[in-house]
Amino acid sequence: MSKMDGKLQNASPSREVERYWLESRRPLESLAFIAPLLIVYEAGVLWLGAQNGADAFMRWVLQMLGFGQHFVLPVLMICVLLAWHHVARQYWRLSGSVLSRMAAESVCLGLCLCVFCLVWNSSPSASVGETMRQGVGPLLALLGAGIYEELLFRLILLSLSVWALRRMGMTPRAGMLVAVIANGLLFAAAHHMGPYGEHPLLINRFLFRALAGAFFSAIFIYRGFGIAAGSHAAYDVLVSVL
């Protein structure tokens, strides 16, 4: 009996890691994890006008379609995640320990990208960091970047790209690789477009953002939407503060 107990104790850490790896990727955990960030950001949009470019673009598209109400976009995102969870036939239960570990993992991944940013000798969020002296509005906008840029570029565009490439006959691995590269380039280009974009276009920052987009795509694929959004928000805040 003692030998069996020893084997179970030795196996329990690996089972715990496996459980966390699976549960942290579920849409319900993603929704619960980003909910506090979403609430704070939406409050900032309403009271301070701290709006992210991806958020503004998607709201503009919805307005063109006749849906101009402010809360349509966040409600749609919530419905998509809940529907995804239902279609995947996942159980409806949350774990506080999983959510806290998701926060720690997101900060660690954000720090990794910060270190790479320093090694790359680029500061793609420098303009945001400078405007943070004006108040908390720009800081809240960074939280929105983590949520809505991941919603637009990873949950919507990356998923559609992978699906379309598979329909065109590409193998899963090749389709995923092409989609990740294209998504990174589009992600970088979007940061230099429109009134929210950075001008002039500097090739060093463009390439860094392309690699960052591919990095977040990989996180989305292997770790889910919640950690992708969390690590994106953590990176933006850390690189602007530091």
Side-chain angles (χ1 to χ4, degrees), residues 72-235:
V72 169
L73 181 58
V75 169
L76 281 176
M77 180 176 63
I78 292 170
C79 291
V80 167
L81 290 172
L82 291 176
W84 179 12
H85 192 84
H86 173 71
V87 170
R89 299 183 180 276
Q90 297 285 344
Y91 55 88
W92 296 85
R93 186 180 65 202
L94 289 170
S95 170
S97 63
V98 170
L99 297 178
S100 62
R101 292 174 187 177
M102 289 174 68
E105 183 178 356
S106 295
V107 172
C108 288
L109 290 170
L111 280 172
C112 288
L113 190 57
C114 281
V115 172
F116 181 71
C117 177
L118 294 174
V119 173
W120 187 270
N121 194 26
S122 173
S123 55
S125 297
S127 59
V128 178
E130 293 168 2
T131 58
M132 283 179 62
R133 301 192 190 99
Q134 302 174 5
V136 299
L139 180 62
L140 296 180
L142 296 177
L143 300 180
I147 297 170
Y148 286 113
E149 287 184 8
E150 291 309 304
L151 173 65
L152 175 61
F153 289 99
R154 257 60 74 177
L155 186 59
I156 297 175
L157 295 179
L158 181 63
S159 300
L160 287 176
S161 298
V162 171
W163 176 83
L165 292 170
R166 289 289 303 277
R167 297 284 293 180
M168 292 169 59
M170 276 196 176
T171 63
R173 180 174 297 181
M176 191 76 72
L177 179 61
V178 171
V180 166
I181 294 173
N183 191 271
L185 293 173
L186 181 61
F187 177 73
H191 282 77
H192 299 276
M193 297 178 180
Y196 292 91
E198 181 183 298
H199 304 285
L201 189 156
L202 300 177
I203 189 63
N204 191 43
R205 293 186 178 182
F206 178 88
L207 291 176
F208 174 81
R209 287 192 174 106
L211 292 172
F215 177 73
F216 290 129
S217 294
I219 295 175
F220 172 77
I221 292 169
Y222 292 105
R223 301 300 299 120
F225 174 71
I227 293 178
S231 59
H232 192 150
Y235 163 75

Side-chain angles (χ1 to χ4, degrees), residues 22-106:
L22 295 174
E23 291 188 4
S24 58
R25 297 182 59 193
R26 301 192 316 148
L28 185 62
E29 271 75 7
S30 293
L31 177 57
F33 178 63
I34 67 169
L37 300 179
L38 182 63
I39 293 171
V40 172
Y41 170 72
E42 291 296 338
V45 173
L46 290 174
W47 294 335
L48 301 174
Q51 192 169 28
N52 169 257
D55 174 28
F57 171 74
M58 287 187 285
R59 290 183 196 273
W60 174 78
V61 172
L62 288 172
Q63 189 172 11
M64 293 298 101
L65 296 175
F67 302 97
Q69 296 82 357
H70 176 77
F71 289 108
V72 169
L73 181 58
V75 169
L76 281 176
M77 180 176 63
I78 292 170
C79 291
V80 167
L81 290 172
L82 291 176
W84 179 12
H85 192 84
H86 173 71
V87 170
R89 299 183 180 276
Q90 297 285 344
Y91 55 88
W92 296 85
R93 186 180 65 202
L94 289 170
S95 170
S97 63
V98 170
L99 297 178
S100 62
R101 292 174 187 177
M102 289 174 68
E105 183 178 356
S106 295

